[in-house]
Amino acid sequence: MRVYCEKDYDQASRRAANIIAAQVVLKPDCVLGLATGSTPVGAYKELIDKCEKGELDFSQVRSVNLDEYKGLSPENDQSYRYFMNTNLFDHINIDKNNTNVPNGLEPDADKACADYDAIIESMGGVDLQLLGLGHNGHIAFNEPAEEFSKGTNCVKLTQMTIDANARFFESKDDVPKEAYTMGIGSIMKAKKILIVACGEDKAEIVKKAFTGPITPQVPASVLQLHPDVTLVGDAAAMKYMV
Ligand code: F6R
């Protein structure tokens, strides 16, 4: 595992963006696995900047996102499709037809998950998967569990997550109760993994995930078994790693 400890969030974002950019330069038609959440926003800004300056060309890049809320349309401003459009895709020269997010509007969970696995498979797998890290070690929507999930699956959101998300919706009833997420098995199949963690509040889980035992109770710990992982963090998140 390569570990980069950067001074702050901006430097960590720059480092992460440079790693993604290098992938795009090396293989212009690569498949990028992308994430939502607050962590990658800075890296996405850097990528937009590189694209605007003509330093990076996304015209042949294809992408698959980690997850999507079940029941939310792409136009819903809480959907992950909306997040990706507004934080990245609308501002770079990627062909949106080449970008994929699980279909939140598919009510049949088995079909939604099988369709998404088929999309990933048809693309020949993911070249570089970007990940954020949840406070409990979750990656994508794979929460601590008895076993590691395999392919794309439908997860029930915990009451904690539902309550935390309620502020973004008109009423609590509008908050999605389920989500479609790539499985741990799918994530582990990516050729390269880039995981980014920033902030003091991530320090404990970074230590646990990367120096502790490998267990589905800390889903990210499985990354210790992946042959090509790069961990990028700011000094606060990496304080136990240096
Ligand atoms: C995002 C995702 C989540 C986040 C994680 C960290 O697509 O699947 O696992 O990466 O919850 O979120 P932030 O970056 O907001 O701390």
PDB file of all heavy atoms in Angstrom, residues 17 20-21 24 28-30 32 34 44 46-48 50-52 55-62 88-89 91-95 98:
ATOM      1  N   ALA A  17      -6.336  14.050  -7.037  1.00  0.00           N
ATOM      2  CA  ALA A  17      -6.646  14.439  -8.419  1.00  0.00           C
ATOM      3  C   ALA A  17      -5.494  14.073  -9.351  1.00  0.00           C
ATOM      4  O   ALA A  17      -5.714  13.618 -10.478  1.00  0.00           O
ATOM      5  CB  ALA A  17      -6.940  15.931  -8.487  1.00  0.00           C
ATOM      6  N   ILE A  20      -5.667  10.412 -10.166  1.00  0.00           N
ATOM      7  CA  ILE A  20      -6.748  10.131 -11.128  1.00  0.00           C
ATOM      8  C   ILE A  20      -6.334  10.642 -12.517  1.00  0.00           C
ATOM      9  O   ILE A  20      -6.516   9.952 -13.529  1.00  0.00           O
ATOM     10  CB  ILE A  20      -8.071  10.791 -10.669  1.00  0.00           C
ATOM     11  CG1 ILE A  20      -8.504  10.206  -9.322  1.00  0.00           C
ATOM     12  CG2 ILE A  20      -9.169  10.605 -11.715  1.00  0.00           C
ATOM     13  CD1 ILE A  20      -9.622  10.965  -8.618  1.00  0.00           C
ATOM     14  N   ALA A  21      -5.741  11.837 -12.537  1.00  0.00           N
ATOM     15  CA  ALA A  21      -5.309  12.412 -13.821  1.00  0.00           C
ATOM     16  C   ALA A  21      -4.279  11.501 -14.488  1.00  0.00           C
ATOM     17  O   ALA A  21      -4.327  11.275 -15.705  1.00  0.00           O
ATOM     18  CB  ALA A  21      -4.723  13.803 -13.591  1.00  0.00           C
ATOM     19  N   VAL A  24      -5.931   8.742 -16.257  1.00  0.00           N
ATOM     20  CA  VAL A  24      -6.588   9.176 -17.499  1.00  0.00           C
ATOM     21  C   VAL A  24      -5.544   9.397 -18.608  1.00  0.00           C
ATOM     22  O   VAL A  24      -5.776   9.061 -19.770  1.00  0.00           O
ATOM     23  CB  VAL A  24      -7.435  10.451 -17.255  1.00  0.00           C
ATOM     24  CG1 VAL A  24      -7.997  11.003 -18.548  1.00  0.00           C
ATOM     25  CG2 VAL A  24      -8.557  10.151 -16.265  1.00  0.00           C
ATOM     26  N   PRO A  28      -6.476   6.706 -21.819  1.00  0.00           N
ATOM     27  CA  PRO A  28      -7.547   7.697 -22.048  1.00  0.00           C
ATOM     28  C   PRO A  28      -8.954   7.111 -22.029  1.00  0.00           C
ATOM     29  O   PRO A  28      -9.909   7.814 -21.725  1.00  0.00           O
ATOM     30  CB  PRO A  28      -7.203   8.264 -23.420  1.00  0.00           C
ATOM     31  CG  PRO A  28      -5.725   8.043 -23.556  1.00  0.00           C
ATOM     32  CD  PRO A  28      -5.449   6.748 -22.857  1.00  0.00           C
ATOM     33  N   ASP A  29      -9.101   5.827 -22.339  1.00  0.00           N
ATOM     34  CA  ASP A  29     -10.455   5.234 -22.296  1.00  0.00           C
ATOM     35  C   ASP A  29     -10.640   4.370 -21.046  1.00  0.00           C
ATOM     36  O   ASP A  29     -11.361   3.374 -21.060  1.00  0.00           O
ATOM     37  CB  ASP A  29     -10.726   4.414 -23.560  1.00  0.00           C
ATOM     38  CG  ASP A  29      -9.783   3.233 -23.688  1.00  0.00           C
ATOM     39  OD1 ASP A  29      -8.763   3.198 -22.936  1.00  0.00           O
ATOM     40  OD2 ASP A  29     -10.044   2.341 -24.508  1.00  0.00           O
ATOM     41  N   CYS A  30      -9.978   4.783 -19.958  1.00  0.00           N
ATOM     42  CA  CYS A  30     -10.055   3.991 -18.726  1.00  0.00           C
ATOM     43  C   CYS A  30     -11.456   4.025 -18.111  1.00  0.00           C
ATOM     44  O   CYS A  30     -12.279   4.878 -18.440  1.00  0.00           O
ATOM     45  CB  CYS A  30      -9.047   4.499 -17.699  1.00  0.00           C
ATOM     46  SG  CYS A  30      -9.381   6.169 -17.150  1.00  0.00           S
ATOM     47  N   LEU A  32     -13.183   4.700 -14.673  1.00  0.00           N
ATOM     48  CA  LEU A  32     -12.972   5.247 -13.329  1.00  0.00           C
ATOM     49  C   LEU A  32     -14.150   4.859 -12.449  1.00  0.00           C
ATOM     50  O   LEU A  32     -15.305   5.018 -12.841  1.00  0.00           O
ATOM     51  CB  LEU A  32     -12.884   6.774 -13.374  1.00  0.00           C
ATOM     52  CG  LEU A  32     -11.702   7.400 -14.132  1.00  0.00           C
ATOM     53  CD1 LEU A  32     -11.803   8.930 -14.078  1.00  0.00           C
ATOM     54  CD2 LEU A  32     -10.375   6.936 -13.538  1.00  0.00           C
ATOM     55  N   LEU A  34     -16.113   5.976  -9.268  1.00  0.00           N
ATOM     56  CA  LEU A  34     -16.186   7.268  -8.580  1.00  0.00           C
ATOM     57  C   LEU A  34     -17.069   7.215  -7.336  1.00  0.00           C
ATOM     58  O   LEU A  34     -17.915   6.325  -7.198  1.00  0.00           O
ATOM     59  CB  LEU A  34     -16.701   8.331  -9.554  1.00  0.00           C
ATOM     60  CG  LEU A  34     -15.775   8.559 -10.768  1.00  0.00           C
ATOM     61  CD1 LEU A  34     -16.423   9.516 -11.763  1.00  0.00           C
ATOM     62  CD2 LEU A  34     -14.408   9.076 -10.342  1.00  0.00           C
ATOM     63  N   TYR A  44     -12.420  16.573  -7.228  1.00  0.00           N
ATOM     64  CA  TYR A  44     -13.205  16.825  -8.439  1.00  0.00           C
ATOM     65  C   TYR A  44     -12.969  18.262  -8.933  1.00  0.00           C
ATOM     66  O   TYR A  44     -12.851  18.502 -10.127  1.00  0.00           O
ATOM     67  CB  TYR A  44     -14.697  16.569  -8.184  1.00  0.00           C
ATOM     68  CG  TYR A  44     -15.041  15.095  -7.958  1.00  0.00           C
ATOM     69  CD1 TYR A  44     -16.221  14.705  -7.335  1.00  0.00           C
ATOM     70  CD2 TYR A  44     -14.182  14.095  -8.397  1.00  0.00           C
ATOM     71  CE1 TYR A  44     -16.536  13.366  -7.138  1.00  0.00           C
ATOM     72  CE2 TYR A  44     -14.484  12.751  -8.209  1.00  0.00           C
ATOM     73  CZ  TYR A  44     -15.664  12.399  -7.568  1.00  0.00           C
ATOM     74  OH  TYR A  44     -15.963  11.066  -7.378  1.00  0.00           O
ATOM     75  N   GLU A  46     -10.266  19.969  -8.606  1.00  0.00           N
ATOM     76  CA  GLU A  46      -8.941  19.972  -9.245  1.00  0.00           C
ATOM     77  C   GLU A  46      -9.018  19.380 -10.650  1.00  0.00           C
ATOM     78  O   GLU A  46      -8.374  19.869 -11.577  1.00  0.00           O
ATOM     79  CB  GLU A  46      -7.951  19.131  -8.416  1.00  0.00           C
ATOM     80  CG  GLU A  46      -7.584  19.731  -7.084  1.00  0.00           C
ATOM     81  CD  GLU A  46      -6.583  20.882  -7.211  1.00  0.00           C
ATOM     82  OE1 GLU A  46      -5.797  20.891  -8.169  1.00  0.00           O
ATOM     83  OE2 GLU A  46      -6.635  21.783  -6.362  1.00  0.00           O
ATOM     84  N   LEU A  47      -9.782  18.325 -10.798  1.00  0.00           N
ATOM     85  CA  LEU A  47      -9.910  17.676 -12.116  1.00  0.00           C
ATOM     86  C   LEU A  47     -10.608  18.618 -13.101  1.00  0.00           C
ATOM     87  O   LEU A  47     -10.232  18.701 -14.271  1.00  0.00           O
ATOM     88  CB  LEU A  47     -10.680  16.355 -12.001  1.00  0.00           C
ATOM     89  CG  LEU A  47      -9.961  15.232 -11.244  1.00  0.00           C
ATOM     90  CD1 LEU A  47     -10.872  14.029 -11.074  1.00  0.00           C
ATOM     91  CD2 LEU A  47      -8.677  14.818 -11.961  1.00  0.00           C
ATOM     92  N   ILE A  48     -11.626  19.323 -12.602  1.00  0.00           N
ATOM     93  CA  ILE A  48     -12.342  20.287 -13.455  1.00  0.00           C
ATOM     94  C   ILE A  48     -11.347  21.354 -13.930  1.00  0.00           C
ATOM     95  O   ILE A  48     -11.293  21.709 -15.105  1.00  0.00           O
ATOM     96  CB  ILE A  48     -13.516  20.938 -12.675  1.00  0.00           C
ATOM     97  CG1 ILE A  48     -14.603  19.898 -12.400  1.00  0.00           C
ATOM     98  CG2 ILE A  48     -14.082  22.139 -13.428  1.00  0.00           C
ATOM     99  CD1 ILE A  48     -15.661  20.333 -11.388  1.00  0.00           C
ATOM    100  N   LYS A  50      -8.090  21.125 -14.245  1.00  0.00           N
ATOM    101  CA  LYS A  50      -7.152  20.567 -15.240  1.00  0.00           C
ATOM    102  C   LYS A  50      -7.823  20.453 -16.602  1.00  0.00           C
ATOM    103  O   LYS A  50      -7.206  20.699 -17.637  1.00  0.00           O
ATOM    104  CB  LYS A  50      -6.673  19.174 -14.791  1.00  0.00           C
ATOM    105  CG  LYS A  50      -5.676  19.187 -13.647  1.00  0.00           C
ATOM    106  CD  LYS A  50      -5.300  17.744 -13.297  1.00  0.00           C
ATOM    107  CE  LYS A  50      -4.589  17.639 -11.955  1.00  0.00           C
ATOM    108  NZ  LYS A  50      -3.298  18.347 -11.899  1.00  0.00           N
ATOM    109  N   CYS A  51      -9.088  20.068 -16.589  1.00  0.00           N
ATOM    110  CA  CYS A  51      -9.820  19.900 -17.836  1.00  0.00           C
ATOM    111  C   CYS A  51     -10.030  21.272 -18.504  1.00  0.00           C
ATOM    112  O   CYS A  51      -9.821  21.423 -19.712  1.00  0.00           O
ATOM    113  CB  CYS A  51     -11.149  19.216 -17.538  1.00  0.00           C
ATOM    114  SG  CYS A  51     -11.980  18.642 -18.997  1.00  0.00           S
ATOM    115  N   GLU A  52     -10.401  22.245 -17.697  1.00  0.00           N
ATOM    116  CA  GLU A  52     -10.628  23.593 -18.249  1.00  0.00           C
ATOM    117  C   GLU A  52      -9.354  24.172 -18.850  1.00  0.00           C
ATOM    118  O   GLU A  52      -9.379  24.901 -19.836  1.00  0.00           O
ATOM    119  CB  GLU A  52     -11.171  24.531 -17.159  1.00  0.00           C
ATOM    120  CG  GLU A  52     -12.659  24.317 -16.916  1.00  0.00           C
ATOM    121  CD  GLU A  52     -13.189  25.088 -15.713  1.00  0.00           C
ATOM    122  OE1 GLU A  52     -12.372  25.649 -14.944  1.00  0.00           O
ATOM    123  OE2 GLU A  52     -14.425  25.098 -15.530  1.00  0.00           O
ATOM    124  N   GLU A  55      -5.500  20.447 -19.858  1.00  0.00           N
ATOM    125  CA  GLU A  55      -4.437  19.510 -19.471  1.00  0.00           C
ATOM    126  C   GLU A  55      -4.948  18.065 -19.403  1.00  0.00           C
ATOM    127  O   GLU A  55      -4.164  17.134 -19.300  1.00  0.00           O
ATOM    128  CB  GLU A  55      -3.884  19.892 -18.085  1.00  0.00           C
ATOM    129  CG  GLU A  55      -3.146  21.203 -18.057  1.00  0.00           C
ATOM    130  CD  GLU A  55      -2.866  21.704 -16.641  1.00  0.00           C
ATOM    131  OE1 GLU A  55      -3.079  20.952 -15.656  1.00  0.00           O
ATOM    132  OE2 GLU A  55      -2.441  22.858 -16.532  1.00  0.00           O
ATOM    133  N   LEU A  56      -6.251  17.918 -19.391  1.00  0.00           N
ATOM    134  CA  LEU A  56      -6.826  16.585 -19.189  1.00  0.00           C
ATOM    135  C   LEU A  56      -8.041  16.414 -20.084  1.00  0.00           C
ATOM    136  O   LEU A  56      -8.861  17.323 -20.188  1.00  0.00           O
ATOM    137  CB  LEU A  56      -7.231  16.468 -17.714  1.00  0.00           C
ATOM    138  CG  LEU A  56      -7.256  15.095 -17.060  1.00  0.00           C
ATOM    139  CD1 LEU A  56      -5.933  14.366 -17.267  1.00  0.00           C
ATOM    140  CD2 LEU A  56      -7.536  15.241 -15.569  1.00  0.00           C
ATOM    141  N   ASP A  57      -8.117  15.235 -20.718  1.00  0.00           N
ATOM    142  CA  ASP A  57      -9.187  14.985 -21.679  1.00  0.00           C
ATOM    143  C   ASP A  57     -10.013  13.781 -21.208  1.00  0.00           C
ATOM    144  O   ASP A  57      -9.502  12.667 -21.126  1.00  0.00           O
ATOM    145  CB  ASP A  57      -8.540  14.710 -23.045  1.00  0.00           C
ATOM    146  CG  ASP A  57      -9.563  14.325 -24.092  1.00  0.00           C
ATOM    147  OD1 ASP A  57     -10.766  14.565 -23.872  1.00  0.00           O
ATOM    148  OD2 ASP A  57      -9.143  13.799 -25.141  1.00  0.00           O
ATOM    149  N   PHE A  58     -11.273  14.034 -20.896  1.00  0.00           N
ATOM    150  CA  PHE A  58     -12.146  12.961 -20.407  1.00  0.00           C
ATOM    151  C   PHE A  58     -13.044  12.390 -21.505  1.00  0.00           C
ATOM    152  O   PHE A  58     -13.955  11.628 -21.205  1.00  0.00           O
ATOM    153  CB  PHE A  58     -13.044  13.492 -19.276  1.00  0.00           C
ATOM    154  CG  PHE A  58     -12.338  13.690 -17.967  1.00  0.00           C
ATOM    155  CD1 PHE A  58     -11.719  14.894 -17.664  1.00  0.00           C
ATOM    156  CD2 PHE A  58     -12.277  12.661 -17.026  1.00  0.00           C
ATOM    157  CE1 PHE A  58     -11.062  15.080 -16.456  1.00  0.00           C
ATOM    158  CE2 PHE A  58     -11.624  12.833 -15.815  1.00  0.00           C
ATOM    159  CZ  PHE A  58     -11.021  14.056 -15.539  1.00  0.00           C
ATOM    160  N   SER A  59     -12.785  12.778 -22.749  1.00  0.00           N
ATOM    161  CA  SER A  59     -13.747  12.437 -23.817  1.00  0.00           C
ATOM    162  C   SER A  59     -13.939  10.931 -23.998  1.00  0.00           C
ATOM    163  O   SER A  59     -14.992  10.498 -24.437  1.00  0.00           O
ATOM    164  CB  SER A  59     -13.343  13.092 -25.134  1.00  0.00           C
ATOM    165  OG  SER A  59     -12.073  12.641 -25.524  1.00  0.00           O
ATOM    166  N   GLN A  60     -12.909  10.149 -23.666  1.00  0.00           N
ATOM    167  CA  GLN A  60     -13.058   8.695 -23.841  1.00  0.00           C
ATOM    168  C   GLN A  60     -13.252   7.957 -22.514  1.00  0.00           C
ATOM    169  O   GLN A  60     -13.394   6.739 -22.492  1.00  0.00           O
ATOM    170  CB  GLN A  60     -11.817   8.125 -24.516  1.00  0.00           C
ATOM    171  CG  GLN A  60     -11.557   8.647 -25.914  1.00  0.00           C
ATOM    172  CD  GLN A  60     -10.257   8.061 -26.428  1.00  0.00           C
ATOM    173  OE1 GLN A  60     -10.141   6.850 -26.613  1.00  0.00           O
ATOM    174  NE2 GLN A  60      -9.270   8.910 -26.617  1.00  0.00           N
ATOM    175  N   VAL A  61     -13.200   8.698 -21.424  1.00  0.00           N
ATOM    176  CA  VAL A  61     -13.286   8.054 -20.101  1.00  0.00           C
ATOM    177  C   VAL A  61     -14.694   7.516 -19.854  1.00  0.00           C
ATOM    178  O   VAL A  61     -15.684   8.125 -20.260  1.00  0.00           O
ATOM    179  CB  VAL A  61     -12.898   9.067 -18.990  1.00  0.00           C
ATOM    180  CG1 VAL A  61     -13.226   8.521 -17.609  1.00  0.00           C
ATOM    181  CG2 VAL A  61     -11.420   9.427 -19.096  1.00  0.00           C
ATOM    182  N   ARG A  62     -14.749   6.372 -19.207  1.00  0.00           N
ATOM    183  CA  ARG A  62     -16.038   5.808 -18.782  1.00  0.00           C
ATOM    184  C   ARG A  62     -16.026   5.744 -17.257  1.00  0.00           C
ATOM    185  O   ARG A  62     -14.961   5.649 -16.657  1.00  0.00           O
ATOM    186  CB  ARG A  62     -16.213   4.411 -19.399  1.00  0.00           C
ATOM    187  CG  ARG A  62     -16.277   4.473 -20.935  1.00  0.00           C
ATOM    188  CD  ARG A  62     -16.015   3.153 -21.592  1.00  0.00           C
ATOM    189  NE  ARG A  62     -14.668   2.683 -21.353  1.00  0.00           N
ATOM    190  CZ  ARG A  62     -14.330   1.384 -21.318  1.00  0.00           C
ATOM    191  NH1 ARG A  62     -15.229   0.452 -21.520  1.00  0.00           N
ATOM    192  NH2 ARG A  62     -13.085   1.035 -21.086  1.00  0.00           N
ATOM    193  N   LEU A  88     -19.057  17.246 -10.911  1.00  0.00           N
ATOM    194  CA  LEU A  88     -17.994  16.860 -11.847  1.00  0.00           C
ATOM    195  C   LEU A  88     -18.447  16.825 -13.304  1.00  0.00           C
ATOM    196  O   LEU A  88     -17.953  17.592 -14.127  1.00  0.00           O
ATOM    197  CB  LEU A  88     -17.425  15.476 -11.439  1.00  0.00           C
ATOM    198  CG  LEU A  88     -16.244  14.982 -12.277  1.00  0.00           C
ATOM    199  CD1 LEU A  88     -15.024  15.902 -12.106  1.00  0.00           C
ATOM    200  CD2 LEU A  88     -15.849  13.549 -11.909  1.00  0.00           C
ATOM    201  N   PHE A  89     -19.405  15.959 -13.624  1.00  0.00           N
ATOM    202  CA  PHE A  89     -19.676  15.676 -15.044  1.00  0.00           C
ATOM    203  C   PHE A  89     -20.096  16.897 -15.857  1.00  0.00           C
ATOM    204  O   PHE A  89     -19.743  17.005 -17.028  1.00  0.00           O
ATOM    205  CB  PHE A  89     -20.752  14.579 -15.182  1.00  0.00           C
ATOM    206  CG  PHE A  89     -20.395  13.268 -14.548  1.00  0.00           C
ATOM    207  CD1 PHE A  89     -21.394  12.423 -14.049  1.00  0.00           C
ATOM    208  CD2 PHE A  89     -19.077  12.837 -14.446  1.00  0.00           C
ATOM    209  CE1 PHE A  89     -21.084  11.208 -13.470  1.00  0.00           C
ATOM    210  CE2 PHE A  89     -18.752  11.624 -13.864  1.00  0.00           C
ATOM    211  CZ  PHE A  89     -19.760  10.804 -13.373  1.00  0.00           C
ATOM    212  N   HIS A  91     -19.020  19.721 -15.731  1.00  0.00           N
ATOM    213  CA  HIS A  91     -17.919  20.682 -15.896  1.00  0.00           C
ATOM    214  C   HIS A  91     -16.704  20.110 -16.623  1.00  0.00           C
ATOM    215  O   HIS A  91     -15.682  20.792 -16.734  1.00  0.00           O
ATOM    216  CB  HIS A  91     -17.484  21.196 -14.510  1.00  0.00           C
ATOM    217  CG  HIS A  91     -18.640  21.611 -13.664  1.00  0.00           C
ATOM    218  ND1 HIS A  91     -19.351  22.762 -13.912  1.00  0.00           N
ATOM    219  CD2 HIS A  91     -19.252  20.998 -12.610  1.00  0.00           C
ATOM    220  CE1 HIS A  91     -20.336  22.858 -13.019  1.00  0.00           C
ATOM    221  NE2 HIS A  91     -20.296  21.793 -12.225  1.00  0.00           N
ATOM    222  N   ILE A  92     -16.782  18.862 -17.047  1.00  0.00           N
ATOM    223  CA  ILE A  92     -15.646  18.272 -17.779  1.00  0.00           C
ATOM    224  C   ILE A  92     -16.176  17.720 -19.105  1.00  0.00           C
ATOM    225  O   ILE A  92     -17.393  17.566 -19.271  1.00  0.00           O
ATOM    226  CB  ILE A  92     -14.933  17.154 -16.953  1.00  0.00           C
ATOM    227  CG1 ILE A  92     -15.908  16.025 -16.586  1.00  0.00           C
ATOM    228  CG2 ILE A  92     -14.273  17.747 -15.706  1.00  0.00           C
ATOM    229  CD1 ILE A  92     -15.244  14.823 -15.916  1.00  0.00           C
ATOM    230  N   ASN A  93     -15.254  17.368 -19.992  1.00  0.00           N
ATOM    231  CA  ASN A  93     -15.715  16.920 -21.323  1.00  0.00           C
ATOM    232  C   ASN A  93     -15.945  15.409 -21.371  1.00  0.00           C
ATOM    233  O   ASN A  93     -15.568  14.750 -22.342  1.00  0.00           O
ATOM    234  CB  ASN A  93     -14.718  17.359 -22.402  1.00  0.00           C
ATOM    235  CG  ASN A  93     -13.380  16.640 -22.282  1.00  0.00           C
ATOM    236  OD1 ASN A  93     -12.988  16.254 -21.186  1.00  0.00           O
ATOM    237  ND2 ASN A  93     -12.689  16.456 -23.387  1.00  0.00           N
ATOM    238  N   ILE A  94     -16.584  14.883 -20.331  1.00  0.00           N
ATOM    239  CA  ILE A  94     -16.929  13.453 -20.349  1.00  0.00           C
ATOM    240  C   ILE A  94     -18.270  13.329 -21.085  1.00  0.00           C
ATOM    241  O   ILE A  94     -19.111  14.239 -21.023  1.00  0.00           O
ATOM    242  CB  ILE A  94     -17.018  12.888 -18.910  1.00  0.00           C
ATOM    243  CG1 ILE A  94     -16.910  11.351 -18.912  1.00  0.00           C
ATOM    244  CG2 ILE A  94     -18.285  13.350 -18.183  1.00  0.00           C
ATOM    245  CD1 ILE A  94     -16.634  10.741 -17.534  1.00  0.00           C
ATOM    246  N   ASP A  95     -18.444  12.211 -21.781  1.00  0.00           N
ATOM    247  CA  ASP A  95     -19.728  11.935 -22.427  1.00  0.00           C
ATOM    248  C   ASP A  95     -20.625  11.308 -21.354  1.00  0.00           C
ATOM    249  O   ASP A  95     -20.329  10.221 -20.854  1.00  0.00           O
ATOM    250  CB  ASP A  95     -19.488  10.967 -23.596  1.00  0.00           C
ATOM    251  CG  ASP A  95     -20.778  10.583 -24.306  1.00  0.00           C
ATOM    252  OD1 ASP A  95     -21.866  10.904 -23.789  1.00  0.00           O
ATOM    253  OD2 ASP A  95     -20.666   9.950 -25.374  1.00  0.00           O
ATOM    254  N   ASN A  98     -21.448   7.777 -21.082  1.00  0.00           N
ATOM    255  CA  ASN A  98     -20.425   6.836 -20.607  1.00  0.00           C
ATOM    256  C   ASN A  98     -20.296   6.841 -19.087  1.00  0.00           C
ATOM    257  O   ASN A  98     -19.373   6.258 -18.538  1.00  0.00           O
ATOM    258  CB  ASN A  98     -19.059   7.192 -21.220  1.00  0.00           C
ATOM    259  CG  ASN A  98     -19.022   6.894 -22.699  1.00  0.00           C
ATOM    260  OD1 ASN A  98     -19.791   6.062 -23.177  1.00  0.00           O
ATOM    261  ND2 ASN A  98     -18.147   7.573 -23.416  1.00  0.00           N
TER     262      ASN A  98
END
